[in-house]
């Protein structure tokens, strides 16, 4: 029988709170009833230092510009989802650090190539393609923390090991 | 003399925080200034590129500090400590970039703030915003150079960069300072 052992639960709780806060703040003022393009809120000021917030490269929610661009909303959405599913991943398909680091590096490079290709006119990326690549980045950044807060242990094996020892 | 064996031998993380904070703060300032001048010049493409760079580089502090601390001292440590290192790096980077920004506008280019303010309003008008919407937007981005602007920039910067770098600090500790 499998069992999920935990550690650093305080840090994981903080990570969940941070992930949820970033996601809901990134959605912008349109989330709670503000309507109309051009409406600004504290969310835009908050993300000003970490996102270009170009209106042509951002989604709208309830007719209001989100606080971050399409790539960044993909990052924050899937980072939040990734953080929430860490226990599930650790229970069913635990991943090694080496594999997840390789995945993260590949996804970061993909985003660089996408930005460079668009900048130099090799191709034109879209809101959806930016969102998709951002989503992969957010998800892989969260899932690199698998095997950190939760560990899948087999109770039978643990008991046998302890008795033997 | 037995007390000699009770000395905590965990190496100090402050040198690493200092190195990563200075690097991140300087890069953040340079990218921010490039963004300001390209915004004033009306080049939205370059402003967007510098914005993307600011996003990536701003988040790198947590990675740099953990890489430096783990490699310099060849140690492993808890993931919570990685988050702390990332947060402290963000605080130092914000302080450094604020000081550089203030010195730049006081000594090198005193007209930058006013030009940036005018460019911001021009951008809002170009987006088709009404005067009410522009006033609302300016509530959250006060006139550059004022003490309100400084407080908002530092406060929001500390909150956002603090959270983001604490998260990248966790990731950095996982990559560089944890065992497989």
């Amino acid at each position: 029988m499998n069992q999920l052992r935990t550690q650093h639960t305080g840090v994981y709780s903080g990570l969940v709170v941070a992930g949820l806060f970033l996601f809901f703040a990134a959605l912008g003022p349109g989330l709670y009833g503000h309507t109309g393009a051009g409406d600004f809120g504290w969310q835009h000021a908050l993300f000003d230092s970490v996102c270009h917030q170009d209106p042509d490269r951002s989604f709208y929610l309830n007719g209001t510009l989100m606080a971050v661009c399409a790539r960044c909303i993909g990052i924050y959405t899937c980072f939040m989802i990734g953080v929430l599913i860490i226990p599930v991943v650790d229970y069913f398909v635990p991943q090694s650090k080496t594999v997840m680091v390789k995945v993260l590096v590949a996804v970061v490079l993909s985003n660089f190539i996408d930005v460079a290709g668009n900048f130099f006119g090799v191709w034109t990326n879209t809101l959806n393609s930016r969102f998709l690549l951002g989503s992969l980045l957010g998800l892989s950044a969260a899932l690199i923390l698998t095997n950190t807060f939760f560990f899948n242990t087999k109770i039978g094996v643990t008991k046998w090991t302890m008795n033997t020892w | 003399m037995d007390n000699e064996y009770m000395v905590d031998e965990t190496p100090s993380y402050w040198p690493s925080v200092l190195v990563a904070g200075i690097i991140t703060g300087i890069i953040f300032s340079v990218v921010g200034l490039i963004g300001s001048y390209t915004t004033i010049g009306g080049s939205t493409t370059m402003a967007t590129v510098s914005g993307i760079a600011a996003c990536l580089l701003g988040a790198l502090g947590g990675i740099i500090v953990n890489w430096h601390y783990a490699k310099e001292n060849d140690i492993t440590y808890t993931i919570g400590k990685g988050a702390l290192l990332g947060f402290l790096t963000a605080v130092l980077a914000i302080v450094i970039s604020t000081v550089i920004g203030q010195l730049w506008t006081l000594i090198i280019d005193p007209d930058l703030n006013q030009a940036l303010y005018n460019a911001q309003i021009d951008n809002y008008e170009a987006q088709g915003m009404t005067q009410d919407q522009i006033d609302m937007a300016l509530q959250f981005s006060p006139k550059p150079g004022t003490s309100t602007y400084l407080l908002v920039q530092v406060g929001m910067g500390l909150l956002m960069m603090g959270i983001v770098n604490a998260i990248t600090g966790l990731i950095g500790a996982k990559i560089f300072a944890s065992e497989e």
Side-chain angles (χ1 to χ4, degrees):
Chain A
M1 183 184 169
N2 290 348
Q3 190 184 43
L4 214 52
R5 190 160 57 86
T6 62
Q7 69 170 12
H8 306 308
T9 48
V11 178
Y12 179 69
S13 305
L15 191 61
V16 170
V17 172
L20 288 169
F21 171 74
L22 289 175
F23 168 66
F24 285 114
L27 290 176
L31 180 65
Y32 50 89
H34 276 247
T35 54
D39 273 6
F40 273 66
W42 57 267
Q43 296 93 333
H44 292 92
L46 184 65
F47 286 94
D48 181 51
S49 58
V50 291
C51 180
H52 55 75
Q53 301 172 318
D54 185 344
D56 293 335
R57 291 164 174 257
S58 305
F59 289 115
Y60 287 76
L61 180 63
N62 289 330
T64 303
L65 190 66
M66 286 187 182
V68 293
C69 68
R71 194 183 305 274
C72 286
I73 195 65
I75 292 173
Y76 293 120
T77 303
C78 283
F79 181 78
M80 185 265 296
I81 292 170
V83 167
L84 291 177
I85 65 168
I86 281 176
V88 181
V89 173
D90 278 336
Y91 188 82
F92 290 106
V93 278
Q95 302 295 320
S96 77
K97 186 177 90 173
T98 314
V99 170
M100 291 314 298
V101 169
K102 285 177 182 169
V103 170
L104 181 61
V105 170
V107 172
V108 169
L109 286 176
S110 305
N111 275 274
F112 268 120
I113 292 167
D114 180 52
V115 171
N118 186 69
F119 181 72
F120 292 112
V122 181
W123 57 73
T124 305
N125 54 26
T126 63
L127 283 180
N128 290 335
S129 70
R130 290 179 208 128
F131 177 80
L132 180 66
L133 283 171
S135 299
L136 292 175
L137 181 54
L139 192 63
S140 55
L143 293 185
I144 205 168
L145 297 171
T146 52
N147 272 332
T148 302
F149 306 110
F150 305 94
F151 300 92
N152 187 343
T153 56
K154 290 185 178 177
I155 292 175
V157 172
T158 310
K159 277 182 179 170
W160 179 84
T161 309
M162 287 175 72
N163 288 341
T164 308
W165 185 73
Chain B
M1 285 294 114
D2 285 347
N3 285 345
E4 282 181 10
Y5 297 102
M6 297 176 71
V7 173
D8 182 8
E9 292 185 356
T10 306
S12 169
Y13 50 69
W14 286 108
S16 301
V17 170
L18 203 62
V19 168
I22 289 172
I23 291 172
T24 312
I26 289 175
I27 293 176
F28 204 60
S29 303
V30 170
V31 173
L33 285 170
I34 291 172
S36 298
Y37 283 109
T38 49
T39 301
I40 293 167
S43 169
T44 52
T45 309
M46 276 309 293
T48 301
V49 169
S50 69
I52 292 168
C55 168
L56 277 169
L57 297 170
L60 275 184
I63 302 284
I64 295 171
V65 69
N66 279 286
W67 168 77
H68 189 270
Y69 185 53
K71 296 301 172 192
E72 280 292 304
N73 301 293
D74 196 23
I75 54 170
T76 61
Y77 47 88
T78 63
I79 201 146
K81 189 171 187 176
L84 173 68
L85 294 184
F87 178 77
L88 292 173
T89 301
V91 172
L92 186 60
I94 288 292
V95 170
I96 288 171
S97 65
T98 303
V99 170
I100 290 175
Q102 289 298 300
L103 290 175
W104 189 274
T105 50
L106 278 175
I107 299 167
I108 297 172
D109 189 357
D111 297 330
L112 175 63
N113 285 329
Q114 187 59 47
L116 189 58
Y117 189 67
N118 295 339
Q120 264 181 346
I121 294 173
D122 290 344
N123 278 345
Y124 292 147
E125 287 171 351
Q127 288 170 29
M129 290 167 65
T130 63
Q131 190 56 47
D132 285 347
Q133 288 173 329
I134 292 174
D135 290 341
M136 189 175 178
L138 291 176
Q139 268 186 336
F140 295 100
S141 54
K143 190 174 181 179
T146 61
S147 54
T148 313
Y149 176 81
L150 191 64
L151 281 175
V152 169
Q153 287 293 104
V154 172
M156 292 292 190
L158 280 178
L159 180 61
M160 194 62 213
M161 293 283 282
I163 293 173
V164 168
N165 278 284
I167 291 172
T168 55
L170 282 175
I171 295 169
K174 174 73 181 185
I175 295 173
F176 300 114
S178 74
E179 291 167 0
E180 177 67 43

